[in-house]
């Protein structure tokens, strides 16, 4: 019967031990002290014995429960429950092994793992054997230390791995940013070159217009054209009355003013009477009724 549980050790070495009373036929009761891990090891050794393959060994209480995960492995309610479950486990184990060995002899002598477990737990329960218990606990502590060091090493390795992943991620991010910067610089360079090319083309077109369409001199039949853009900007110029309406469209397109954008299609419209000049490009200014002067509104091409 497991009668008590108590904590042993400090800090990371702290663990729980159980005290139990054991009795066998013809022998005085013994006080046993053991850890849960020793019971787990006992069950593992029993399960590996060929002669016990036909024996239904009881299941060990769970190492962790929802309560222990939430409240910790030293929670009193968790340990009380485990203590009761260990009592039931040993009762079931005793019944199973006695059924196997009782007709042959003493179960502790015939079942080596159980005999060793009881002997070790009995020595731990005997104050005179404190040195032996201390040696066992020292071995347990060494193993726990080894596990702690292994865990710390694993955490350190994981930290290094995470640092390396961050370094790679930052390098990839920097490369993406540099690539984006290169692409943006290239785009701006191409746009600047295109704008320069368009400006040169417009300049040549403007010079060609001025050369082919000189301002008429005083006394020549002419028409004064005043242009107004949607922005409110205005520009005016005199044209021979024999110039075609297409000349007016070209002038509005190539002049240096806040008029139609490069490549934008547009219409020219008289304000009174309202008349669209689109489609009349081949007519002269006199034929189109624009002499001696007219106000032309730059309108969106419909």
């Amino acid at each position: 019967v497991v009668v008590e549980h108590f904590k042993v050790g400090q800090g990371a070495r702290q663990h729980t031990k159980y005290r139990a009373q054991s009795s066998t036929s013809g022998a005085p009761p013994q006080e046993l002290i053991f850890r849960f891990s020793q019971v787990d090891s006992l069950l593992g050794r029993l399960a590996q014995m060929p002669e016990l393959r036909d024996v239904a060994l009881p299941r060990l209480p769970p190492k962790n429960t929802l309560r222990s995960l939430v409240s910790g492995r030293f929670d009193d309610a968790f340990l009380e429950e485990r203590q009761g479950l260990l009592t039931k486990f040993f009762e079931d184990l005793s019944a199973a092994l006695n059924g196997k060995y009782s007709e042959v002899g003493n179960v502790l002598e015939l079942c080596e793992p159980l005999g060793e477990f009881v002997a070790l737990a009995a020595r731990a329960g005997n104050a005179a054997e404190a040195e032996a218990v201390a040696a066992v606990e020292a071995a347990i502590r060494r193993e726990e230390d080894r596990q702690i060091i292994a865990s710390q090493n694993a955490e350190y390795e994981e930290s290094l791995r995470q640092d390396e992943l961050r370094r790679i991620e930052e390098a990839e991010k920097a490369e993406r940013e540099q690539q984006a910067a290169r692409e943006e610089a290239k785009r701006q360079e191409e746009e600047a070159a295109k704008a320069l090319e368009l400006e040169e083309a417009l300049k040549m077109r403007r010079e060609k217009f001025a050369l082919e369409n000189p301002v008429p001199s005083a006394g020549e039949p002419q028409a004064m054209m005043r242009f107004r853009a949607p922005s409110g900007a205005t520009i005016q110029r005199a044209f021979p009355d024999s110039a075609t309406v297409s000349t007016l469209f070209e002038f509005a397109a190539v002049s240096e003013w806040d008029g139609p954008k490069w490549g934008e299609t547009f219409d020219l419209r008289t304000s009174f009477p309202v008349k669209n000049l689109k489609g009349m490009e081949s007519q002269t200014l006199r034929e189109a009724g624009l002499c001696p002067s007219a106000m032309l509104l730059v309108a969106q091409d419909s």
Side-chain angles (χ1 to χ4, degrees):
V1 177
V2 182
V3 297
E4 182 186 15
H5 62 267
F6 54 94
K7 287 183 283 190
V8 178
Q10 297 276 333
R13 296 188 178 92
Q14 190 175 48
H15 55 275
T16 302
K17 285 190 174 183
Y18 298 87
R19 178 176 287 110
Q21 293 292 332
S22 172
S23 63
T24 56
S25 179
Q30 296 186 86
E31 182 180 84
L32 307 180
I33 295 179
F34 54 89
R35 295 183 64 175
F36 183 86
S37 59
Q38 292 173 270
V39 183
D40 186 24
S41 177
L42 167 63
L43 184 59
R45 292 182 62 190
L46 293 174
Q48 293 176 2
M49 294 179 65
E51 63 193 76
L52 296 181
R53 288 176 181 171
D54 60 341
V55 175
L57 298 174
R59 296 182 61 181
L60 193 65
K63 184 176 182 179
N64 293 298
T65 65
L66 179 60
R67 178 182 290 275
S68 69
L69 293 175
V70 173
S71 302
R73 59 193 178 101
F74 298 114
D75 178 70
D76 286 337
F78 164 67
L79 294 176
E80 284 289 343
E81 180 182 9
R82 175 186 278 181
Q83 179 178 316
L85 292 174
L86 283 174
T87 295
K88 181 66 167 56
F89 169 81
F90 281 118
E91 290 174 351
D92 294 342
L93 180 63
S94 176
L97 296 182
N98 283 330
K100 180 70 176 181
Y101 296 110
S102 61
E103 295 182 2
V104 182
N106 188 304
V107 65
L108 295 180
E109 295 175 353
L110 297 174
C111 183
E112 181 179 348
L114 180 61
E116 291 180 355
F117 171 83
V118 172
L120 181 60
R123 285 198 300 271
N126 190 332
E129 298 293 334
E131 185 177 349
V133 174
V136 173
E137 292 179 342
I140 294 173
R141 287 197 297 271
R142 285 194 297 272
E143 175 60 19
E144 290 177 342
D145 289 343
R146 186 195 66 77
Q147 293 178 2
I148 291 172
I149 292 173
S151 176
Q152 291 174 341
N153 288 339
E155 291 176 358
Y156 177 69
E157 291 295 330
E158 177 62 17
S159 175
L160 292 179
R161 190 181 73 86
Q162 292 296 330
D163 289 344
E164 179 64 13
L165 289 176
R166 280 192 293 271
R167 186 192 67 77
I168 294 173
E169 182 179 356
E170 290 173 357
E172 291 177 346
K173 180 181 177 182
E175 175 59 27
R176 289 194 299 270
E177 292 175 348
Q178 292 173 5
Q179 180 63 25
R182 289 192 293 268
E183 292 176 355
E184 177 62 18
K186 181 179 179 181
R187 184 189 65 79
Q188 293 180 2
E189 182 179 346
E190 291 174 349
E191 288 185 353
K194 183 178 180 181
L196 180 61
E197 181 180 347
L198 292 176
E199 180 62 29
E200 288 295 324
L202 182 60
K203 180 180 178 182
M204 293 178 61
R205 187 173 165 183
R206 186 179 299 128
E207 292 174 351
K208 179 182 178 182
F209 179 86
L211 183 65
E212 295 177 351
N213 300 277
V215 177
S217 57
E220 286 187 55
Q222 57 187 275
M224 178 62 68
M225 297 292 105
R226 182 177 178 85
F227 300 80
R228 178 182 296 276
S231 64
T234 61
I235 189 172
Q236 66 179 19
R237 187 184 189 277
F239 295 88
D241 63 354
S242 60
T244 61
V245 172
S246 62
T247 305
L248 304 181
F249 280 91
E250 181 69 4
F251 175 76
V254 303
S255 295
E256 295 183 83
W257 70 307
D258 190 15
K261 303 301 180 184
W262 173 265
E264 181 180 67
T265 60
F266 60 94
D267 196 358
L268 294 176
R269 182 180 302 159
T270 60
S271 57
F272 183 81
V274 177
K275 179 170 57 178
N276 293 332
L277 300 186
K278 195 82 168 180
M280 302 173 59
E281 288 87 348
S282 62
Q283 296 184 23
T284 64
L285 303 187
R286 183 169 297 280
E287 292 171 344
L290 301 177
C291 295
S293 64
M295 167 65 76
L296 301 179
L297 305 176
V298 178
Q300 184 176 1
D301 188 7
S302 57

